[in-house]
């Protein structure tokens, strides 16, 4: 998966029409809640086999924080 | 009564007959735009022609029992065509009266597909923040009194309707932070094409105030979709006029 594909899939998981960038802020966004955090955890597990802790996810501030968890699986 | 506006768009399944037909016509009459779904397009077109505002009545042919797991994507495709939805009313359903020993896996699958899995995946599609209008939007599921009462031969039907009722409550809790309300209605015997004449004759003595009508259910659905019900979510309402208590 490329960075661009990652951002598109993450936007889908978060159910947002925004074009996500690595620098996009999550903590202040309307779509960052406990349900979307659980969805992100299962997305990372299903797509990358990465089992992030709930703490990792809830501490997330920007999209890049999620990206960092899986960046070794990103192709570009 | 309550009013809707034409930019408030509702998806109604099972709209070619009975309760779904009544709900579609009522919401359209009250000013809403309706996207009516069923397999029989000719019936939908007839109903549209008889509606108060045919220009705000759209028909979609779809067999909801096929590939239920893709219905969330189907709802998103409807959003791309019509815009964000204010509500979803799931009325499609089939009766299944069959003794335990006669149940086959095919019958079980057929019943659960249309009565449970289809509404579940349509709810998944509707709950997507990109699909609904957020605060003020609502879903109503037509379950059945059979979810609560035991009748011989009803294990499949009652099971599917009880599952729908239970999931509706959970979904209500999950998506409450997005401002979307979810309720279900559990009607007792309503005179529609689903209810056979001979069966209704036998049931008559149970109903001192008569059977329910499609408009009884449709009026309640319209209320639950309206802002008058803005503090009602996660509930399941029996409509039986005290008959089966
Ligand atoms: N009538 C009652 O006494 C009563 C009581 C309690 C609960 N209910 C529930 O209320 C709901 C409506 O019942 P009703 O009495 O109005 O029944 P109805 O008149 O038989 O209508 C059923 C509707 O479901 C649609 N439908 C069935 N299978 C479908 C499929 N595979 N794909 C898409 N649409 C499908 C039918 O449309 P097409 O055939 O055109 O596809 C029709 O519009 C049902 O869920 C029923 O279980 C009814």
């Amino acid at each position: 998966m490329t960075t661009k594909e990652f951002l598109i899939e993450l936007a889908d998981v978060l159910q947002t029409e925004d074009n996500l960038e690595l620098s996009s802020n999550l903590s202040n966004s309307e779509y960052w809640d406990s349900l979307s955090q659980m969805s992100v955890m299962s997305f990372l597990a299903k797509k990358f086999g990465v089992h992030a802790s709930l703490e990792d996810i809830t501490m997330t501030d920007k999209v890049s924080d999620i990206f960092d968890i899986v960046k070794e699986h990103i192709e570009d | 009564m309550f009013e809707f506006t034409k930019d408030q768009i509702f998806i109604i399944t099972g709209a070619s007959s009975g309760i779904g037909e009544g709900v579609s016509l009522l919401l359209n009459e009250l000013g809403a735009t309706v996207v009516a779904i069923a397999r029989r397009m000719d019936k939908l077109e007839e109903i549209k022609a008889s509606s108060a505002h045919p220009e705000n009545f759209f028909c979609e042919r779809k067999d909801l029992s096929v590939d239920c797991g893709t219905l969330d994507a189907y709802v998103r495709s409807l959003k791309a065509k019509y815009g964000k939805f204010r509500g979803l009313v799931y009325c499609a359903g089939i009766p299944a009266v069959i003794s335990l020993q006669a149940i086959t896996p095919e019958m079980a699958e057929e019943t659960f597909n249309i009565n449970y899995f289809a509404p579940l995946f349509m709810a998944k599609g509707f709950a997507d923040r990109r699909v609904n209008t957020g605060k003020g939007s609502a879903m109503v599921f037509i379950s059945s009194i059979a979810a609560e009462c035991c009748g011989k031969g009803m294990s499949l039907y009652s099971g599917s309707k009880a599952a729908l009722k239970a999931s509706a409550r959970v979904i209500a809790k999950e998506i409450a932070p997005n401002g979307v309300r979810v309720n279900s209605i559990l009607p007792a015997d309503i005179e529609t094409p689903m209810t056979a004449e001979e069966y209704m004759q036998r049931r008559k003595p149970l109903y001192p105030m008569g059977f329910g009508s499609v408009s009884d259910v449709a009026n309640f659905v319209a209320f639950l979709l309206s802002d008058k019900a803005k503090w009602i979510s996660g509930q399941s309402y029996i409509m039986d006029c005290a008959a089966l208590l």
Side-chain angles (χ1 to χ4, degrees), chain A residues 4 10 13 22 26 28 31 47 63 69-70 73 75:
Chain A
K4 192 171 171 213
L10 185 65
V13 171
L22 288 176
L26 285 176
N28 292 334
Y31 44 80
K47 284 280 160 164
V63 167
I69 298 172
V70 293
H73 300 274
E75 285 157 15

Side-chain angles (χ1 to χ4, degrees), chain B residues 14 16-17 19 39-40 63-64 91 142 157 161 187-188 190 192:
Chain B
S16 62
S17 174
I19 294 171
R39 292 168 299 184
R40 287 170 295 166
D63 186 339
L64 298 170
C91 307
I142 306 299
Y157 184 72
K161 292 296 188 177
I190 309 293
T192 72

Side-chain angles (χ1 to χ4, degrees), chain B residues 61-120:
Chain B
R61 185 209 309 266
K62 179 83 177 164
D63 186 339
L64 298 170
S65 64
V66 177
D67 289 336
C68 297
T70 61
L71 289 174
D72 54 334
Y74 171 63
V75 173
R76 287 199 299 274
S77 75
L78 291 178
K79 182 256 163 181
K81 188 167 172 185
Y82 296 103
K84 285 193 175 189
F85 293 106
R86 172 84 171 184
L88 164 70
V89 187
Y90 192 92
C91 307
I94 53 168
V97 185
I98 183 128
S99 70
L100 178 63
Q101 293 309 328
I103 293 173
T104 63
E106 292 75 25
M107 283 170 195
E109 192 179 331
E110 187 190 5
T111 307
F112 268 77
N113 272 353
I114 190 69
N115 289 1
Y116 179 67
F117 290 115
L120 182 72

Side-chain angles (χ1 to χ4, degrees), chain B residues 40-210:
Chain B
R40 287 170 295 166
M41 199 62 172
D42 52 334
K43 286 286 296 171
L44 289 177
E45 291 293 351
E46 267 174 39
I47 293 163
K48 173 188 167 114
S50 70
S51 68
H53 306 286
E55 69 283 10
N56 299 332
F57 197 114
F58 299 92
C59 306
E60 291 283 339
R61 185 209 309 266
K62 179 83 177 164
D63 186 339
L64 298 170
S65 64
V66 177
D67 289 336
C68 297
T70 61
L71 289 174
D72 54 334
Y74 171 63
V75 173
R76 287 199 299 274
S77 75
L78 291 178
K79 182 256 163 181
K81 188 167 172 185
Y82 296 103
K84 285 193 175 189
F85 293 106
R86 172 84 171 184
L88 164 70
V89 187
Y90 192 92
C91 307
I94 53 168
V97 185
I98 183 128
S99 70
L100 178 63
Q101 293 309 328
I103 293 173
T104 63
E106 292 75 25
M107 283 170 195
E109 192 179 331
E110 187 190 5
T111 307
F112 268 77
N113 272 353
I114 190 69
N115 289 1
Y116 179 67
F117 290 115
L120 182 72
F121 283 95
M122 289 198 75
K124 180 180 173 189
F126 182 84
D128 188 315
R129 263 182 278 249
R130 294 163 293 184
V131 171
N132 64 67
T133 53
K135 192 163 186 286
S137 53
M139 289 189 254
V140 176
F141 296 103
I142 306 299
S143 170
S144 167
I145 187 90
E148 302 277 341
C149 294
C150 304
K152 283 182 186 169
M154 302 292 273
S155 48
L156 273 185
Y157 184 72
S158 290
S160 65
K161 292 296 188 177
L164 178 60
K165 182 194 104 171
S167 290
R169 289 166 71 89
V170 177
I171 295 166
K173 190 152 198 156
E174 270 190 31
I175 63 176
N178 302 347
V180 183
R181 296 180 299 102
V182 185
N183 292 291
S184 51
I185 299 178
L186 282 59
D189 293 309
I190 309 293
E191 283 181 301
T192 72
M194 187 185 268
T195 42
E197 177 99 32
E198 182 266 334
Y199 167 84
M200 293 300 258
Q201 280 308 321
R202 269 189 288 123
R203 304 280 289 175
K204 214 168 183 173
L206 293 172
Y207 291 86
M209 290 195 239

